[in-house]
């Protein structure tokens, strides 16, 4: 694992930054609604944006099911967590930052989205540090088997397991 930093990151600050960026990049965007900016209107990209948004919201829904409805207090290694380690953050990235780039084709959303994705990626790294502390070797083994946020690699790993 490559470390870009040695000290723990301030999760509260990272979540604050991600929240502000999310508001600026939300699919029902205030910058567009109040005509502060005028994006391009390429319909194919707009439809793709809603597909990406739906995929992200699906990931968020699955993550919320395990975390908040089932109130899991242990390391979850099944369901969506068998595919990727951070479905909530991946869903957030897809449904807010990536979808908005497609929905409202404007350079400002590429800039905001880049910073939003980077912030959520840092949050996921810090959460892994906390999970390593809490779950120990069990989480390290889980990290070796399940990708952080790469859905394609997660599907490939599951397909390889099922073919054995």
């Amino acid at each position: 694992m490559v470390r870009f930093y040695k000290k723990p990151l301030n999760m509260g600050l990272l979540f604050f930054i991600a929240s502000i960026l999310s508001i600026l990049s939300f699919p029902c965007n205030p910058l567009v609604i109040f005509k502060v900016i005028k994006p391009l209107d390429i319909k194919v990209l707009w439809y793709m944006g809603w597909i990406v948004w739906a995929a992200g919201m699906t990931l968020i829904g699955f993550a919320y099911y395990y975390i908040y409805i089932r109130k899991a207090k242990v390391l979850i290694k099944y369901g969506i967590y068998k595919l990727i380690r951070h479905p909530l953050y991946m869903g957030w990235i897809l449904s807010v930052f990536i979808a908005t780039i497609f929905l409202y084709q404007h350079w400002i959303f590429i800039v905001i989205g880049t910073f939003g994705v980077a912030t959520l990626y840092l949050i996921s790294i810090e959460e892994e540090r906390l999970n390593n502390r809490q779950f120990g070797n069990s989480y390290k083994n889980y990290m070796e088997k399940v990708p952080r946020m790469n859905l394609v690699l997660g599907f490939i790993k599951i397909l390889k397991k099922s073919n054995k």
Side-chain angles (χ1 to χ4, degrees), residues 53-67:
W53 178 84
M57 292 307 291
T58 301
L59 286 173
I60 290 170
F62 283 131
Y64 268 97
Y65 171 74
Y66 288 108
I67 295 170

Side-chain angles (χ1 to χ4, degrees), residues 79-112:
I80 193 67
Y81 289 92
K82 193 174 185 175
L83 187 64
I84 56 174
R85 294 192 307 264
H86 299 287
L88 187 61
Y89 300 140
M90 187 68 219
W92 190 351
I93 287 169
L94 288 174
S95 65
V96 175
F97 298 115
I98 304 300
T100 302
I101 291 170
F102 285 106
L103 291 167
Y104 308 116
Q105 304 96 39
H106 194 277
W107 66 268
I108 193 76
F109 295 119
I110 295 171
V111 172
I112 292 169

Side-chain angles (χ1 to χ4, degrees), residues 20-83:
I20 295 300
L21 292 170
S22 294
I23 291 167
L24 292 174
S25 186
F26 195 69
C28 296
N29 194 281
L31 296 173
V32 175
I33 291 170
F34 295 114
K35 299 184 190 313
V36 174
I37 63 168
K38 181 157 176 46
L40 298 175
D41 190 21
I42 302 170
K43 287 295 182 202
V44 172
L45 294 178
W46 189 82
Y47 289 117
M48 286 175 54
W50 284 113
I51 292 168
V52 171
W53 178 84
M57 292 307 291
T58 301
L59 286 173
I60 290 170
F62 283 131
Y64 268 97
Y65 171 74
Y66 288 108
I67 295 170
Y68 297 106
I69 295 173
R70 293 194 64 187
K71 298 183 192 278
K73 299 291 183 202
V74 297
L75 178 59
I76 306 168
K77 298 180 188 178
Y78 48 87
I80 193 67
Y81 289 92
K82 193 174 185 175
L83 187 64

Side-chain angles (χ1 to χ4, degrees), residues 2 5 10 14 64 77 108 111 118 151 155:
V2 177
Y5 58 94
N10 183 329
L14 288 173
Y64 268 97
K77 298 180 188 178
I108 193 76
V111 172
L151 288 166
F155 278 119

